[in-house]
Amino acid sequence: MPRSRVVIARFVFVLIGVFLGSNLTFAQADYRPSPENLQARREFQDMKFGMFIHWGVYSVLGDGEWVFHNRKLTLDEYNKLPAFFDPEKFDAKTWVALAKAAGMKYITITSRHHDGFAMFDSKISDWNIVQRTPYKKDPLKMLADECHREGIKLFFYYSQLDWHNPDYYPRGATNWNNGRPDHGDWNAYLDTYMDGQLRELLTNYGPIGGIWFDGMWDKPDADWHLAKTYALIHQLQPAALIIPNHHQTPRPGEDVQTFERDLPGENTAGFNTKYVSAQLPLESSDTLNDSWGFTISDDHYKSPAEVERRLVRAAGNNSNLLMNIGPMPNGEIQPEFVTRLQAVGEWMAKYGDSIYGTRGGPVPPGDWGVTTQKDNKIYVHVLSWGAPLLALPPIAGKISAAQSFIDGSKTEFTQSAAGVVLHLPAPKANEVDRIVLLTVAE
Ligand code: FHN
């Protein structure tokens, strides 16, 4: 081709690129979720309870997923770790069966954490489980296949922050001198590396629930090319939900607002926003002990009752609960997690109807408890109340019946313009949640 034609062809190519790029940007700034996406949001809200899994080569050291940073290891040191990661006991069936036994409806797993190590078969770089570990297999593929078989939705956690890739430059708040050069190509990191891996995750694992982003808080003022990345995700899988853990007000293109270790709006953790979206589904994440990744010395396990109360409080705040476990480097989930989750599952088998498929109820949550609602049924969850009468603010509509959710026995009540008063049954020993079911006349 003559040189002038090559130049023109390049120019046209660039123009098309600019046009497509700006179109994608526009598309997200003006984001209108597709019908599939809206349906996926409703299904997400209905699921209510999910399993969060932090699992990576860091689990070998048994000191959490931040060990690279906390011990200020060098690249050369951390690069040795994958050689010790051989999870021969990993069995996707066992993991998915445990999630189901716990009454969980979805799983969100770290496809890569801040160490940038891909726990999946990535062709974008060899810093991944297939190429760097003796295991050589892709556990996310096995998990995705099993989730599809068992009707569990699978979400991929993806860290935008990267402590390993030199192109994650300029580096952010968590920077330390680990041996990376003092230069790098930020655009290549986002557009080639990150978007390339996201394309793999959204192409090679069948329909997925969505991408759970984390780490933007490391460089809050950087241009993360979000519009482009979000458009790519929605283009590859319109129903995939974008769940960013940036702790800020949701931006265009995002589909769920998530709160780390907090109920929506409470910000007890100190880093969450108090803003709560009225449009987006909400999620609250927490840990079953005190750690995300496997931590050998952490035995601060929450009791099943604590988890059940958190779940009920989340539902009453119109939110899901994403409860984390950090499996061991051999691929097993430690028995302390298993027994607790099984107990929660038994409880959910009895009480789940007052949680799954509900939305936050008409009464604002209080110290006493919360309400959830489904159609004309209001579930009053009494989590802490020692007195026989519970006074609630006015509830719209006429309450035609009030009964104990668990045995159907009648609950005395009065309804007036001033509010609703329930005569509560006395709490039974070890009762986690006394649920009164109110039926509102239609
Ligand atoms: O730094 C991470 C942490 O390791 C963990 O993944 C949690 C999960 O929500 N998020 C980050 C902190 O915001």
Side-chain angles (χ1 to χ4, degrees), residues 340-359:
R340 281 162 178 80
L341 289 180
Q342 283 169 342
V344 173
E346 281 166 29
W347 188 86
M348 281 298 276
K350 267 183 156 172
Y351 294 86
D353 273 354
S354 67
I355 297 169
Y356 298 124
T358 63
R359 300 292 180 267

Side-chain angles (χ1 to χ4, degrees), residues 244-311:
N245 186 37
H246 51 40
H247 314 309
Q248 297 165 0
T249 305
R251 299 163 191 221
E254 298 172 352
D255 301 307
V256 174
Q257 189 181 5
T258 196
F259 297 83
E260 182 177 331
R261 290 192 193 278
D262 248 322
L263 289 171
E266 289 200 340
N267 191 23
T268 56
F271 48 68
N272 287 309
T273 172
K274 286 205 164 177
Y275 174 89
V276 179
S277 170
Q279 269 83 44
L280 301 184
L282 308 173
E283 181 186 59
S284 153
S285 64
D286 216 327
T287 47
L288 196 45
N289 52 4
D290 285 345
S291 318
W292 299 103
F294 176 57
T295 302
I296 204 156
S297 54
D298 182 356
D299 60 359
H300 295 145
Y301 298 100
K302 293 181 180 63
S303 67
E306 278 178 89
V307 177
E308 289 146 17
R309 284 203 188 93
R310 265 161 216 257
L311 180 51

